[in-house]
Amino acid sequence: MSIVRILARHTICEALRDRTEVGNNVFNSLINGVKLDGQGNLNIGEGQKKPFISVFTDMSETKAVSMNNMREPGLTDIVIEWGYAEGMAAVNEDGETFIMQGLAVTDDAIEFTLDIIAHQIIAALNADTVWAERWKQVRSGGIKAMRRFRYADQTDNTRLAVQQLRLDCRLMDDPMPGEPLPYPIEAILSDMDLSQDLNIQAHATLIRNALTGTITDWQAVQRRFGMSRDQLLALGRGPLAGDDERATPPLQSGVLARDNGPDETIEPDPQD
Amino acid sequence: MSLANHIRDQVVAANDTVWGETLQLLPLTDGRKSSERPARTFSGVLRSQTVETNNMTAGGTDFLSKVASAGSVLRIDRARYADLVIKAQDKIRAVSQPGAPLYIVQHVDDRRHDRLVVHLGDA
């Protein structure tokens, strides 16, 4: 369930980039505190003096008859936060700060701007764009709940306001290692390969490493259902009992000996 | 003026002459340049606080974004600047410090007889 969380964050970030009032100030899992230095420059991104958006994947919960395989992402909390702290807008020599075109910063101008950004976020995620489409595929199980919160204060030695959107999303299942990548994962990884951000290129490589490899049929069954060796063997799959090397070769041919009839030669089922 | 007030003003003036720095007041009304209070420079004692990183909801955990800010406290000799009017949301620039950092006035404590105490946020 971890790979699709990565893809959820990435597709949302790309779907929002340059489509809201924050421009390129869209961040994936911003952990560091946003800080304004003595020259008035922000410590995030390229220091654009604009509000910011940060995208997180938070807790998830899955309830099913069996969760043995631990692969289903269940309902995952996608958290999108956007906010303004003093300094996240251009200031002129008179000390006037403009948060949007023609809009001087006041308390209600901050709230206004954050509501406009909220509108732009929803519009961008619903837009008919490549990245919005990929996000919709990653959350193909549907959005089951949506909660919005806001907070504003000046007790942190600056004036700030922040809003949050929490989406309970049923994300697609994580791909099985060794199996063909389901749509749209290959397309997302191919774009990540071409990113200007070297870390995103590294993400693509590391995800491919995690998902590629050779896997036998019985290993695929074992992983898909989270089976123990005994459970697998009880279904007639996997190595023979006692084969600690897990090297039992596939059945080539065998003889079924009957007490009350002629012996029968067994050939493996080509579909098996 | 009583003797006590005279001594007080002398002490404050002597201290602030040593420790004060040049500051620029940028008065704003509803976020725009004030038409009634012109920008002016003055001297005051500015003491920055330690930068702290806090959750944007002031220590709550419902929000995940954080902000790092310090803020400052500015003390102004009331006897010297009896006509100085500073209001919340005005900006103050510490012009003699590296980078000339900008602050926003969060609130003004004018219930003191010796100094005007101005609480500033990073801006």
Side-chain angles (χ1 to χ4, degrees), chain A residues 33-36 38-39 52 56 81 86 94-97 102 105-106 151 154 156-160 162 164 166, chain B residues 26 28 30 32-33 54-58 62-70 89 91 99 101 106 121-123:
Chain A
V34 180
K35 169 85 170 63
L36 192 64
Q39 287 77 42
F52 72 96
F56 306 86
E81 292 186 356
E86 211 64 51
D94 292 323
E96 296 172 327
T97 309
V105 171
T106 59
Y151 184 86
Q154 67 170 14
D156 285 329
N157 304 317
T158 189
R159 178 169 56 173
L160 61 83
V162 60
Q164 183 191 70
R166 273 185 184 264
Chain B
L26 300 166
L28 299 169
D30 291 335
R32 294 178 195 271
K33 182 179 178 181
N54 285 302
N55 187 287
M56 276 201 158
T57 49
D62 290 341
F63 281 62
L64 305 176
S65 300
K66 301 182 186 72
V67 64
S69 53
Q89 314 305 335
K91 300 264 176 57
Q106 292 186 328
D122 296 354

Side-chain angles (χ1 to χ4, degrees), chain A residues 10-57:
Chain A
H10 183 71
T11 54
I12 292 174
C13 286
E14 293 308 310
L16 298 181
R17 198 172 303 287
D18 293 324
R19 294 186 70 88
T20 75
E21 200 59 38
V22 312
N24 197 33
N25 270 1
V26 179
F27 301 98
N28 187 333
S29 306
L30 195 59
I31 295 174
N32 193 13
V34 180
K35 169 85 170 63
L36 192 64
D37 70 16
Q39 287 77 42
N41 300 314
L42 291 171
N43 66 338
I44 51 175
E46 296 163 359
Q48 285 192 91
K49 290 178 75 68
K50 291 174 176 292
F52 72 96
I53 295 174
S54 189
V55 179
F56 306 86
T57 43

Side-chain angles (χ1 to χ4, degrees), chain A residues 198-217:
Chain A
L198 296 180
N199 261 15
I200 290 178
Q201 286 185 26
H203 289 177
T205 302
L206 294 167
I207 289 172
R208 287 187 205 281
N209 290 348
L211 295 180
T212 54
T214 54
I215 189 170
T216 63
D217 288 348

Side-chain angles (χ1 to χ4, degrees), chain A residues 95-106:
Chain A
E96 296 172 327
T97 309
F98 292 92
I99 191 168
M100 289 176 67
Q101 187 174 6
L103 186 64
V105 171
T106 59

